[in-house]
Amino acid sequence: MTTLDMPGLAAGPMGNWLAAVGALRMLSRADADAQLCWDGDIPVITTALPAPERDLADRIAFTPVITPWQSGGGWGPKDKASADRLASLASSRSPRLAAMRKAIAVADEIIRDHPGEDKGTLVLRLRNWLPDDALPWLSAAVPLKSCDGPGRAAVAGAPLAGTGGNDARWDISTTYHAAILALDPDREPGPRGETADPAVTRRRGWLDDLLAGTQYQPMEEVSSGPYWPDQTAAGLANPWALVFLAEGLCAFGSTGAPEIDGPAPWTSRAGTETAGEAAAGEAWLPMWDAPATCTEVSLLLGGPQPRWNGRAARTATQMYESLASGGWPRGVTGYARYALARRRGQGHVAVPLDVAVPLDIVTRESALPLMARLGVAECAEAAGVSESSWRSYVSRGQAPGVDGRDLKTGQPYWLAGTVRTYLATRPGQGSRTDLRQVPG
């Protein structure tokens, strides 16, 4: 077995988490038994492939990711640059792009035969006719929701993938296409893996840089959108990061169950809005310390929302409470939490709030909290607010009304303690947190 450590994708920016899952998803097409886990905050892949970096760089096919329903996706009358990228992909002879070429051809035919169709109808038509390997992206970007009438469905939003696959004017699919073209998959190494071709050397160098956290190869002039805020400001990105990003988003739509009810999995309502800064919600991305295959990860990500008090957790406080009380799937031993905050006009930025690296966050055998109500005065004093303010926070769901305590020690859990949960989720208080350093 080969161990592929990826310190360059250590927990931090939301793009790193998505890219780590995307690397597993892409590698699993060559080794279905490849597994991913986190060693502390560093993602680690184990695989039977002797040289997984070379397989990723030179051999494994790319997932079809297209957005014909969006302006800017390449099919609109004003989509010059994105349409040129689609044409370049369609004319490529690389076997790695065979599925992409087929998906583009099917979309071309649908757009030609049904011009001017509304977004919802077009998405449903694409879902019926696109190749199967193009469907995970549709399920992740434009999932379906039930609507009036038997068997009827409409297009829903998915905060993790922006608004139907784009964030303001930044489109995930066309950026993905630009990254693939920068990698130049038509240029292949020699029969013995020679790297005399500078395009192959550059492609491999970018991958080594991304996985190791180095920057020997100059980055490409392309935006990384809301997922790597620092790089977005510079207008530069590693093409492999954008490829793995799209793959990671597809993992949320790989279960074959596109219909959603209630909140999208692993998201909650915003609990971190500050003055003048709206938010589309929060992302709570799970981490685990036991190796999991791509199939297992897809089932986890596409599964039901974490549960709290018998229903889906919908707020930051409820997400914390559900983790402490066993409402998260078994095996999840950490999380990375982000606020999808609106900045730069209508665009968003995934702001890291806090990261709990894979640990035994709550011993599952003792995760049945004794719910003991605390006095309003005691809570308000500990939180540093007035009693009336505390009552208001509880009534609006911004603070829990009960405290979780360990049955053996009587000590409050950090993640479920009434006051500590409030302090951890109030605006501006997110931090990178190692639970081993948290007192109590």
Side-chain angles (χ1 to χ4, degrees):
M1 297 294 288
T2 303
T3 299
L4 181 61
D5 294 323
M6 300 185 290
L9 298 178
M14 183 174 173
N16 281 12
W17 187 97
L18 290 167
V21 173
L24 170 71
R25 189 173 187 273
M26 194 168 181
L27 199 59
S28 68
R29 293 199 277 277
D31 174 19
D33 294 324
Q35 297 176 311
L36 169 69
C37 67
W38 270 264
D39 181 5
D41 62 351
I42 296 176
V44 179
I45 288 178
T46 53
T47 174
L49 298 172
E53 301 98 322
R54 298 291 81 85
D55 287 294
L56 286 169
D58 301 326
R59 187 168 70 87
I60 300 174
F62 297 100
T63 291
V65 172
I66 56 175
T67 54
W69 57 85
Q70 290 283 29
S71 174
W75 278 269
K78 298 181 180 179
D79 297 348
K80 179 69 169 65
S82 51
D84 290 344
R85 291 168 185 166
L86 285 173
S88 297
L89 294 173
S91 62
S92 168
R93 296 185 178 181
S94 172
R96 306 179 70 181
L97 291 172
M100 181 75 79
R101 291 192 295 269
K102 185 176 180 180
I104 293 173
V106 172
D108 283 342
E109 184 177 352
I110 292 175
I111 297 295
R112 184 182 64 247
D113 294 344
H114 303 277
E117 210 160 38
D118 67 273
K119 176 179 177 178
T121 304
L122 178 58
V123 168
L124 294 175
R125 195 180 301 281
L126 290 166
R127 186 176 294 281
N128 287 338
W129 291 101
L130 281 178
D132 288 346
D133 47 13
L135 298 183
W137 169 242
L138 268 71
S139 296
V142 280
L144 304 181
K145 65 178 180 181
S146 300
C147 62
D148 295 338
R152 300 191 63 185
V155 175
L160 293 178
T163 307
N166 69 336
D167 185 66
R169 297 177 63 85
W170 185 80
D171 187 271
I172 295 173
S173 68
T174 192
T175 307
Y176 175 66
H177 301 160
I180 292 176
L181 293 173
L183 297 174
D184 204 350
D186 283 331
R187 309 285 282 274
E188 299 181 359
R192 297 183 181 179
E194 300 94 332
T195 59
D197 189 331
V200 175
T201 302
R202 184 169 59 251
R203 183 170 68 221
R204 292 181 174 183
W206 272 325
L207 181 60
D208 292 341
D209 277 350
L210 179 66
L211 299 183
T214 56
Q215 192 176 321
Y216 297 113
Q217 188 70 37
M219 292 199 290
E220 193 74 0
E221 291 187 6
V222 61
S223 173
S224 55
Y227 302 99
W228 285 277
D230 292 343
Q231 293 183 17
T232 299
L236 300 171
N238 185 316
W240 280 113
L242 300 173
V243 168
F244 291 156
L245 164 69
E247 292 277 359
L249 290 171
C250 286
F252 286 88
S254 296
T255 59
E259 184 171 323
I260 63 172
D261 290 304
W266 305 104
T267 62
S268 74
R269 291 198 294 266
T272 54
E273 292 187 13
T274 57
E277 184 174 275
E282 292 185 3
W284 295 69
L285 303 182
M287 302 163 73
W288 50 91
D289 59 7
T293 65
C294 183
T295 299
E296 292 169 333
V297 172
S298 295
L299 289 172
L300 171 68
L301 299 182
Q305 182 84 349
R307 309 288 293 176
W308 175 79
N309 200 23
R311 59 183 183 272
R314 296 175 181 269
T315 67
T317 297
Q318 292 173 3
M319 292 291 276
Y320 272 117
E321 292 280 3
S322 73
L323 177 59
S325 59
W328 284 42
R330 186 175 297 273
V332 173
T333 54
Y335 65 87
R337 174 177 166 233
Y338 305 90
L340 306 176
R342 183 179 297 168
R343 295 178 181 172
R344 300 193 305 272
Q346 295 300 310
H348 290 80
V349 172
V351 181
L353 296 178
D354 56 290
V355 176
V357 300
L359 297 168
D360 190 8
I361 293 181
V362 178
T363 303
R364 295 302 179 183
E365 289 73 21
S366 62
L368 300 175
L370 176 64
M371 307 307 280
R373 292 197 172 274
L374 298 181
V376 172
E378 179 183 355
C379 290
E381 180 181 2
V385 299
S386 67
E387 292 184 30
S388 60
S389 295
W390 185 259
R391 289 192 181 92
S392 177
Y393 293 140
V394 173
S395 67
R396 295 200 302 263
Q398 293 177 308
V402 293
D403 190 39
R405 295 181 179 272
D406 189 289
L407 292 175
K408 296 180 181 179
T409 67
Q411 295 297 315
Y413 292 125
W414 178 73
L415 290 175
T418 299
V419 176
R420 292 192 179 193
T421 300
Y422 164 73
L423 293 175
T425 58
R426 66 178 178 172
Q429 296 303 306
S431 62
R432 184 180 178 85
T433 305
D434 185 332
L435 297 188
R436 288 169 292 193
Q437 300 175 6
V438 176

